[in-house]
Each structure stands twice: as C-alpha cells, then as structure tokens.
C-alpha cells in the first residue's frame, strides 16, 4: 500500500507536479542505511496517525525517543527515516494551523543521526531560523522551523542531557 503521508491526489495539477518532484527528491535522499533502518523497525515507520505527546514544561520524552520537535504545548517525537509534518491526520506531526499545507514539510533523520528538513511543495513555504528553504537543508539542535503561524523547535536527547548536566553543575 502506498504511504498515505505522501499522497498528492488532493492537489490541483500544477501543485501536484511540484509535490511529486519534492516527494521523489525526499525519498531519494534517504540513502540505503536509512531505508534499512526504517525496514528494521516497521512499527516505527508505519504511518499510524499523529505521534503527538502532551508535554509538561521541562519534561523529556521516553528514553527510546532520540529526536523531537516542541512547541508551546506539545512534544512531537521523531524516528529514524521519514517524518512528515502538516495538517493532514496521516502525518507524523499534525499541526492545526489552517494555513499549513496538508503535507507541508518533512524531517529526514538518517541512520547516522544527521537530520535534514525538506519543504514538500507547501503553499506558504517552510522557514528555518527565519530563512525560507530553497532545498533540503541540514538541521541542528535548537533550530526553529516555522510554517505560517506554527513554530517548532528541533531538540535531541544528547542536547537535553548536556542541558541537564550544565544545570546540575551550576546548581551544585
């Protein structure tokens, strides 16, 4: 069955062509090791709807989550491989902003823990640290991803452990 996160049937013909080009570039960018990692964890890579977790201020996600996005109210865990973001319920990260495209952008987490952000032909564009994406762009801890009025911050377990160690040494 085709991945419902990457469906373009709802788009008008000119945008459908752009979306399909962006989708192919995104899928090709995964590399064989990332594809193998996705295949090794079929439960993690199956589109089962939003993976949103309610977050309390300062709370970390479960230990198996290495990468995530946060906004003011929620924590969105990410997995190795393809993570789609948009309004549609099939996305890995579902945002409720009427101006965000159904399938707006995607974060690709490679098996080597490098990460990149892809705009997938969104109508209003995707911005990384205030700059509009012109193509796939590497992302780092603390980077801000803006889609219309939605702001998400990219976080990692390693960064959070370093923050905890810093605050522990400062308080001790």
């Amino acid at each position: 069955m085709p991945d419902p996160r990457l469906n373009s049937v709802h788009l008008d013909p000119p945008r459908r062509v752009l979306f399909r080009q962006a989708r192919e570039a995104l899928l090709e960018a995964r590399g064989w090791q990332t594809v193998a990692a996705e295949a090794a964890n079929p439960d993690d890579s199956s589109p089962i709807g939003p993976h949103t977790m309610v977050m309390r201020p300062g709370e970390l996600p479960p230990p198996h989550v290495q990468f995530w996005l946060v906004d003011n109210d929620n924590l969105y865990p990410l997995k190795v491989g393809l993570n789609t973001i948009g309004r549609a319920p099939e996305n890995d990260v579902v945002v409720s902003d009427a101006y965000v495209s159904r399938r707006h952008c995607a974060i690709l987490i490679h098996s080597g823990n490098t990460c990149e952000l892809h705009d997938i032909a969104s109508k209003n564009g995707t911005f990384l640290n205030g700059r509009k994406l012109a193509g796939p762009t590497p992302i780092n801890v603390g980077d801000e991803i803006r889609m219309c009025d939605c702001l998400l911050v990219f976080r990692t377990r390693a960064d959070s452990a370093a923050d905890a160690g810093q605050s522990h040494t400062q308080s001790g």
Side-chain angles (χ1 to χ4, degrees):
M1 177 172 105
D3 190 336
R5 298 174 300 168
L6 299 173
N7 186 331
S8 62
V9 174
H10 66 284
L11 296 170
D12 58 357
R15 276 205 49 229
R16 187 178 306 154
V17 170
L18 293 174
F19 179 87
R20 288 178 178 174
Q21 290 170 344
R23 175 182 63 199
E24 291 308 310
L26 174 63
L27 292 174
E28 288 176 16
R30 292 183 303 168
W32 71 270
Q33 290 176 318
T34 301
V35 171
E38 285 178 325
N41 296 311
D43 292 338
D44 289 345
S45 61
S46 66
I48 56 171
H51 302 293
T52 304
M53 300 172 130
V54 176
M55 179 186 86
R56 293 185 187 125
E59 190 175 43
L60 291 177
H64 69 279
V65 176
Q66 297 299 310
F67 303 94
W68 62 91
L69 298 170
V70 292
D71 62 15
N72 289 334
D73 302 314
N74 297 303
L75 181 140
Y76 305 92
L78 304 171
K79 62 191 176 304
V80 171
L82 179 64
N83 297 273
T84 59
I85 305 169
R87 241 181 35 240
E90 301 85 20
N91 288 299
D92 298 298
V93 176
V94 178
V95 295
S96 57
D97 181 325
Y99 296 104
V100 169
S101 296
R102 291 178 194 161
R103 289 158 186 79
H104 199 98
C105 63
I107 294 178
L108 186 55
I109 298 180
H110 294 282
S111 61
N113 292 336
T114 59
C115 308
E116 56 191 47
L117 179 63
H118 293 248
D119 183 88
I120 43 179
S122 66
K123 198 168 194 174
N124 294 313
T126 303
F127 295 80
L128 182 64
N129 299 323
R131 303 185 94 178
K132 188 172 185 177
L133 287 186
T137 306
I139 57 174
N140 300 297
V141 172
D143 281 351
E144 294 183 346
I145 301 165
R146 181 174 296 281
M147 300 162 290
C148 305
D149 290 332
C150 177
L151 177 68
L152 300 169
V153 178
F154 181 71
R155 307 295 287 173
T156 69
R157 172 104 19 223
D159 174 57
S160 296
D163 286 350
Q166 245 184 355
S167 64
H168 179 70
T169 56
Q170 289 173 355
S171 64

